[in-house]
Amino acid sequence: MNPLKKIKDWIARGKAGWHLSGGRSSLKQGKYKEALKEFRKALKASPNDPEILHYNAMTLLKLKRPEKALKCYEKILKNNPKLAEAWNNKGVVLKELKRYDEALECYERALQIDPQDDGTWNNKGALLDTIGKPEKAIECYEKALEINQKNAKAWYNKGNGLRSLGKYEEALECYEKALQINAEFVEAWYNKALIFEELKRYDEALECYGRALQIDPQDDGTWNNKGALLDTIGKPEKAIECYEKALEINQKNAKAWNNKGVVLEELKRYDEALECYEKALEINLENDETWANKGVLLRKLGKYEEALECFEKALEINPEFADAWEWKGIILEDLKKPEEALKCYEKALKLNPQDKTLWYMQGKTLQKLGKHQKAKKSYKKALKIDPEYKKAKKALKELQMKG
């Protein structure tokens, strides 16, 4: 080799290493734009270096530029097609781009080269979970854990897969395993809390949210969930404190505004509740639940026409929203439009045929319209669902007495 070229290559490697080191330092500190500048300088000195290309791609992902990150891995693989890690990382980027079939192919290529890579098995499982194949995903997590029992992410993801299948106790065991490996695994504490809520083990759920917030006190989503739980167990004032904490962190948290509104409404602080619903809708006009909540509150305030508009908006967004059809029917009853109300109850019952109250309400409306035989059928439907339903029993008895 030409001695001059040798010296130039040595200088280039030195520059590349210097900028790579600076970029990694910035990346660790979350200074992504600065990191990207350093990695670009490193690539200028050594354009095909797989390590530099990898860190450049990671930074691009942090900056929400997955297409450019993908090009980095394609370049690595063009020069190093047997590099399992690059196939795995390409799969991660393709998953981010929702190109799931291609991502799966990449994970499989990586595992053909290195079948003992627990990280790739875990990533393949996470992808299978995403595309609605939890059983297949669990098989991948189990493979990852055969290889490495200390893979906390695989335990966590296996827990998520089991949770999606309703296997709550098994899922809890997996989250426990993940937390034994990494007690600071905040997502495991959070998901553990969600399962305890499902199981109505509220004290344990509250403890898990508390642990998650010790680790990450700036997570507005966890504050919101803790607030919802406190409301469930009859502590509305404490719930409001949590929602306010969530909103201090993130003023754009529409769920926290909505949930704060619900609690204020329970406390009969209607004007404040209405402000919260309006704040939530300023952030997200497509939230059918908030439109419905606002409608219920406006009805309490006697503003029937405005309430009706809210339920119509909720149903534009989600025509399958049974509760919104029911409330629209109630408002139409308020507005003395029983025939229209009846159509709404029918829509609601198609979506939720096991709602005894809806059958009863339909019966009452049919009775008002003089359709007594049909009303009897509705009351009987309600009683078939709940034979001890007093309102339906009484209404049916009165109708039968009338003949």
Side-chain angles (χ1 to χ4, degrees):
M1 183 186 284
N2 184 318
L4 187 58
K5 188 177 185 305
K6 217 173 183 181
I7 291 165
K8 282 182 178 177
D9 287 347
W10 180 77
I11 292 167
R13 281 197 300 273
K15 277 186 182 178
W18 175 263
H19 291 300
L20 173 61
S21 178
R24 287 173 67 176
S25 175
S26 294
L27 184 59
K28 277 184 185 176
Q29 294 171 58
K31 297 175 181 176
Y32 303 131
K33 288 182 180 177
E34 288 176 32
L36 195 62
K37 284 178 188 174
E38 289 295 317
F39 294 136
R40 280 176 178 164
K41 286 175 185 174
L43 285 168
K44 196 172 179 181
S46 185
N48 294 313
D49 186 298
E51 187 179 9
I52 301 169
L53 283 163
H54 167 66
Y55 279 106
N56 193 56
M58 282 177 66
T59 309
L60 287 163
L61 274 180
K62 294 286 186 185
L63 292 166
K64 310 294 182 192
R65 300 181 200 171
E67 292 285 2
K68 289 191 175 181
L70 184 61
K71 286 179 183 175
C72 293
Y73 290 120
E74 284 171 348
K75 190 171 183 179
I76 294 171
L77 288 162
K78 188 177 178 182
N79 298 314
N80 305 273
K82 295 290 184 186
L83 201 56
E85 187 182 357
W87 283 111
N88 173 62
N89 292 334
K90 186 180 175 185
V92 170
V93 179
L94 286 164
K95 185 189 175 198
E96 183 79 14
L97 290 165
K98 296 183 169 54
R99 291 160 61 177
Y100 299 133
D101 289 345
E102 293 169 80
L104 197 57
E105 282 175 26
C106 288
Y107 293 138
E108 283 165 0
R109 287 289 294 272
L111 290 166
Q112 282 168 13
I113 298 161
D114 183 3
Q116 293 303 302
D117 189 313
D118 57 301
T120 304
W121 281 111
N122 178 60
N123 287 347
K124 184 181 175 184
L127 174 58
L128 289 164
D129 250 335
T130 300
I131 61 176
K133 297 182 178 180
E135 290 94 346
K136 291 284 182 188
I138 288 166
E139 287 174 19
C140 290
Y141 302 137
E142 286 171 349
K143 186 68 182 174
L145 292 163
E146 276 175 31
I147 297 161
N148 178 12
Q149 278 283 307
K150 296 291 183 185
N151 188 327
K153 282 188 179 178
W155 282 114
Y156 168 75
N157 285 337
K158 185 181 176 185
N160 291 345
L162 290 163
R163 178 175 163 241
S164 72
L165 295 169
K167 296 180 178 181
Y168 297 136
E169 294 296 343
E170 290 174 64
L172 281 173
E173 285 174 21
C174 290
Y175 294 141
E176 282 294 336
K177 288 277 191 184
L179 289 164
Q180 283 166 19
I181 297 160
N182 176 11
E184 302 293 296
F185 199 153
V186 68
E187 294 88 354
W189 285 114
Y190 179 85
N191 280 15
K192 196 176 169 188
L194 294 178
I195 289 184
F196 281 136
E197 282 202 66
E198 288 281 348
L199 297 171
K200 295 185 169 45
R201 289 159 64 176
Y202 298 132
D203 288 345
E204 289 163 280
L206 209 53
E207 188 181 333
C208 289
Y209 285 134
R211 290 295 295 272
L213 288 166
Q214 282 172 10
I215 299 160
D216 184 4
Q218 294 303 302
D219 189 317
D220 56 302
T222 305
W223 281 111
N224 175 65
N225 276 31
K226 185 180 177 185
L229 175 55
L230 285 163
D231 185 36
T232 299
I233 61 175
K235 297 183 178 181
E237 298 291 353
K238 290 283 184 189
I240 288 171
E241 286 175 22
C242 289
Y243 297 136
E244 286 173 349
K245 186 68 183 173
L247 292 164
E248 274 175 36
I249 296 161
N250 178 12
Q251 278 284 305
K252 298 288 183 183
N253 188 326
K255 283 185 179 179
W257 281 115
N258 175 74
N259 290 346
K260 185 181 175 185
V262 169
V263 180
L264 288 165
E265 188 176 338
E266 288 167 11
L267 296 170
K268 297 186 167 48
R269 291 159 62 178
Y270 297 141
D271 290 344
E272 292 170 79
L274 194 57
E275 280 176 27
C276 288
Y277 294 143
E278 282 165 1
K279 283 276 191 184
L281 291 167
E282 279 172 26
I283 297 159
N284 180 12
L285 270 172
E286 297 302 305
N287 190 321
D288 55 329
E289 184 186 345
T290 304
W291 280 111
N293 287 342
K294 185 180 176 185
V296 172
L297 176 53
L298 287 167
R299 179 182 181 256
K300 286 178 184 174
L301 298 171
K303 298 179 179 181
Y304 301 124
E305 295 290 352
E306 289 176 60
L308 186 61
E309 284 174 20
C310 289
F311 292 117
E312 285 171 348
K313 187 67 184 175
L315 289 164
E316 273 176 38
I317 297 161
N318 179 11
E320 306 293 299
F321 192 170
D323 286 352
W325 282 114
E326 178 180 349
W327 277 104
K328 185 179 176 184
I330 291 166
I331 299 288
L332 288 164
E333 294 265 20
D334 294 330
L335 294 168
K336 313 296 182 195
K337 296 179 180 179
E339 291 281 5
E340 290 178 56
L342 201 57
K343 288 175 187 174
C344 292
Y345 296 144
E346 284 165 4
K347 288 266 193 185
L349 283 165
K350 278 181 185 175
L351 295 164
N352 189 7
Q354 292 304 304
D355 188 327
K356 65 180 183 182
T357 308
L358 264 172
W359 284 111
Y360 169 75
M361 287 162 66
Q362 186 190 58
K364 291 299 283 182
T365 306
L366 287 163
Q367 196 172 338
K368 277 182 199 172
L369 293 167
K371 299 177 181 181
H372 292 170
Q373 290 308 312
K374 287 185 176 180
K376 283 179 188 177
K377 284 181 184 177
S378 293
Y379 295 141
K380 284 175 182 175
K381 286 271 192 183
L383 289 165
K384 190 175 180 182
I385 296 161
D386 179 4
E388 300 305 314
Y389 188 16
K390 289 180 182 176
K391 283 184 178 180
K393 267 187 178 180
K394 184 181 177 184
L396 182 61
K397 189 177 179 181
E398 285 173 359
L399 262 185
Q400 285 169 335
M401 285 173 71
K402 287 177 184 177

